[in-house]
Amino acid sequence: MDEATDEQYTSPFSPGYGKQPLVFGGHEREIVELTDVFDSLDFGENHSVLLSGLRGAGKTSMLSLLQNAAADRGWLVISEDASRGLMKRVMNSTIPTLIGGLESSTKARLTGFNLWKFGANWEYEDRAREAVPQLRNDLVALSAARDGRGILITIDEVSSGKVRLRELSEFAVQVSHALNDGANIMIVFAGIKVDIDELIKQEHTTFLRRSRDLDFRRLSPSETRRVLAETSELGGRRIEPAALELLVSISQGYPYLVQLAGDYAWRNNQTARIITLPDAKVALDRAIRAVQSRVISKVYLDLSDQDREFLAAMAVDEGRTRTADIRDRMQVSDQYVQIYRRRLIDSGYVQPDGHGYVRFSLPYLDRYIRTVVGITPDPEDDVPDEWAHYPAPEL
Ligand SMILES: Nc1ncnc2c1ncn2[C@@H]1O[C@H](COP(=O)(O)OP(=O)(O)OP(=O)(O)O)[C@@H](O)[C@H]1O
Ligand SMILES: [Mg+2]
């Protein structure tokens, strides 16, 4: 009974930045550990957390997941970007709005802190005339007036811009004072790995260095398969096995691409109950092009000139590249090559592959670079890794 129906099944996939996936792949242990804190208030190492990783790997989605979980358990949630004016926004707008939504009994308790003025019907009026209003006092008062129920603060788009860094570090200092004063706060920062690595080298970033670091990269093949199959089932359709395997290979476990590939396959024949191999084949070309223009091109812009030269020297080969060849092609010293090798491995774009070799680990970055710099690769032997059974299909 699998022939077409009149029904148009709506796609349950969610391609797009910051769009929360219906099925969240990977990071199970961390999700349990972090969300347990919302119940137990037993923070352990989870007062300050840093999500860093690849573009499109799911950092913003993870922040949303945590925000929802915290709000469900009665926590207050402050979610911001690390853009200019962070402190002002939080003090003058976010916190007053949060307070406005609190119960009258809580507001009554807040009056004891002399930080805010309320009208006759407990509507928020203004700040009390404090000499210099400080975030730490606001946070301590909010935590205490709600019987120690917690506050989750998420700061997305943390990057290495100088102005932002000063503000961000002031913000973090205030939060850590509030923690020392006994407020129940979890603060979670998120940013792209290359940016965070640069940031951490600078002064005033102790708060980031001391945070628990969670790395966002690719999903494993089995997690990828689960996300595709379960998302599709939730949308009311099944993916036939051969189509599922092709979609796993196309997506290479890259979260944004998992959603794109699933979505294109879904839309190819939206009235059929089963997603078939021809549907997945249509997704192949379109999803890879879309990920290149929406994600990989941004990754390329994030890179320094030296990173780009290094990657262009790698893209000459198909598969893995000898570090010594990169050195020769770039005409630089061993030491120089080692510095960029390390940096690109840390960022998740490249991975070591046997002694003295590296390969691309970000799917389709090699092809993108070849089109940008116009190289045709030399065929090279491939060495297996976890994804070796799922080679990226040819276009
Ligand atoms: N764990 C996951 N499992 C499945 N799909 C996911 C997962 N996380 C994110 N996605 C999907 O990947 C895409 C990108 O997610 P998101 O915007 O959270 O990435 P990001 O890491 O914040 O990217 P950027 O670094 O550019 O801000 C979205 O389409 C989202 O639905
Ligand atoms: Mg994001």
Side-chain angles (χ1 to χ4, degrees):
M1 291 282 131
D2 288 326
E3 66 276 12
T5 60
D6 287 340
E7 196 178 347
Q8 281 264 346
Y9 294 95
T10 312
S11 173
F13 290 96
S14 55
Y17 286 107
K19 289 205 181 152
Q20 201 165 354
L22 199 53
V23 178
F24 195 95
H27 307 284
E28 279 111 346
R29 196 169 52 88
E30 287 101 343
I31 292 172
V32 169
E33 285 169 5
L34 293 171
T35 51
D36 274 355
V37 174
F38 303 143
D39 286 321
S40 65
L41 295 174
D42 178 6
F43 285 83
E45 57 170 345
N46 300 313
H47 268 302
S48 176
V49 181
L50 173 60
L51 312 182
S52 66
L54 298 172
R55 260 192 193 284
K59 301 175 295 296
T60 302
S61 303
M62 177 71 154
L63 292 182
S64 313
L65 187 154
L66 294 173
Q67 289 154 11
N68 294 338
D72 284 348
R73 286 151 176 99
W75 277 42
L76 289 182
V77 176
I78 297 176
S79 69
E80 290 288 333
D81 280 352
S83 51
R84 193 187 297 252
L86 170 66
M87 184 75 90
K88 262 200 191 138
R89 271 199 312 280
V90 171
M91 296 289 285
N92 300 344
S93 151
T94 313
I95 289 183
T97 308
L98 273 182
I99 292 176
L102 295 175
E103 289 170 5
S104 310
S105 56
T106 314
K107 290 177 184 164
R109 268 189 258 170
L110 280 176
T111 53
F113 291 89
N114 280 328
L115 296 171
W116 301 284
K117 285 192 289 188
F118 297 96
N121 293 318
W122 289 113
E123 75 278 16
Y124 177 93
E125 275 192 345
D126 203 356
R127 284 197 172 273
R129 243 176 276 126
E130 246 185 315
V132 186
Q134 296 213 51
L135 178 65
R136 71 187 281 186
N137 298 334
D138 285 16
L139 294 174
V140 170
L142 281 170
S143 178
R146 304 176 69 249
D147 302 322
R149 257 180 299 166
I151 305 170
L152 171 69
I153 305 175
T154 65
I155 309 286
D156 204 354
E157 312 288 345
V158 172
S159 76
S160 49
K162 281 252 162 53
V163 188
R164 295 184 191 177
L165 176 57
R166 213 176 318 122
E167 279 197 61
L168 189 62
S169 122
E170 271 172 39
F171 190 91
V173 165
Q174 289 283 323
V175 171
S176 73
H177 283 318
L179 280 171
N180 291 337
D181 294 343
N184 284 324
I185 299 174
M186 180 190 288
I187 181 160
V188 187
F189 304 95
I192 301 161
K193 183 82 176 154
V194 264
D195 251 2
I196 302 273
D197 285 351
E198 278 310 302
L199 195 61
I200 280 179
K201 287 188 206 144
Q202 301 178 26
E203 278 180 81
H204 312 299
T205 53
T206 329
F207 63 97
L208 286 179
R209 281 193 290 272
R210 288 192 187 149
S211 298
R212 175 179 184 192
D213 192 1
L214 304 186
D215 204 357
F216 275 63
R217 298 196 176 194
R218 292 202 270 165
L219 306 176
S220 68
S222 62
E223 274 301 303
T224 307
R225 191 178 295 111
R226 181 179 78 85
V227 168
L228 287 163
E230 288 183 11
T231 305
S232 181
E233 273 157 34
L234 287 170
R237 302 174 72 193
R238 201 164 60 75
I239 309 180
E240 70 176 16
L244 184 57
E245 289 315 286
L246 180 56
L247 291 174
V248 169
S249 299
I250 294 170
S251 71
Q252 294 287 298
Y254 194 25
Y256 198 126
L257 188 49
V258 171
Q259 301 297 334
L260 276 170
D263 192 59
Y264 280 124
W266 184 282
R267 286 172 196 281
N268 190 47
N269 188 359
Q270 235 166 326
T271 53
R273 288 204 179 89
I274 293 186
I275 296 176
T276 59
L277 191 57
D279 297 331
K281 283 184 177 155
V282 168
L284 167 62
D285 194 53
R286 300 185 65 189
I288 294 172
R289 275 179 215 290
V291 84
Q292 291 197 331
S293 74
R294 297 193 208 165
V295 190
I296 310 280
S297 59
K298 287 196 179 165
V299 167
Y300 193 71
L301 290 177
D302 295 334
L303 296 168
S304 71
D305 290 345
Q306 290 81 358
D307 294 329
R308 288 180 191 172
E309 275 177 44
F310 188 104
L311 296 174
M314 275 179 74
V316 173
D317 302 309
E318 188 86 63
R320 59 183 193 161
T321 303
R322 260 164 48 119
T323 322
D325 291 341
I326 300 175
R327 178 201 60 204
D328 295 344
R329 289 169 193 162
M330 291 178 76
Q331 300 187 323
V332 291
S333 67
D334 275 324
Q335 221 184 354
Y336 183 99
V337 164
Q338 287 311 328
I339 291 170
Y340 283 92
R341 175 183 170 277
R342 185 74 259 158
R343 186 177 134 83
L344 289 164
I345 289 174
D346 286 345
S347 70
Y349 301 149
V350 163
Q351 67 193 54
D353 192 340
H355 188 69
Y357 285 86
V358 283
R359 67 157 60 238
F360 283 93
S361 51
L362 180 67
Y364 310 107
L365 177 61
D366 52 348
R367 295 182 195 181
Y368 182 81
I369 288 177
R370 280 182 209 124
T371 56
V372 172
V373 298
I375 0 179
T376 331
D378 289 341
E380 239 290 66
D381 288 301
D382 274 10
V383 167
D385 68 357
E386 204 190 359
W387 274 96
H389 302 298
Y390 305 90
E394 286 305 320
L395 287 180

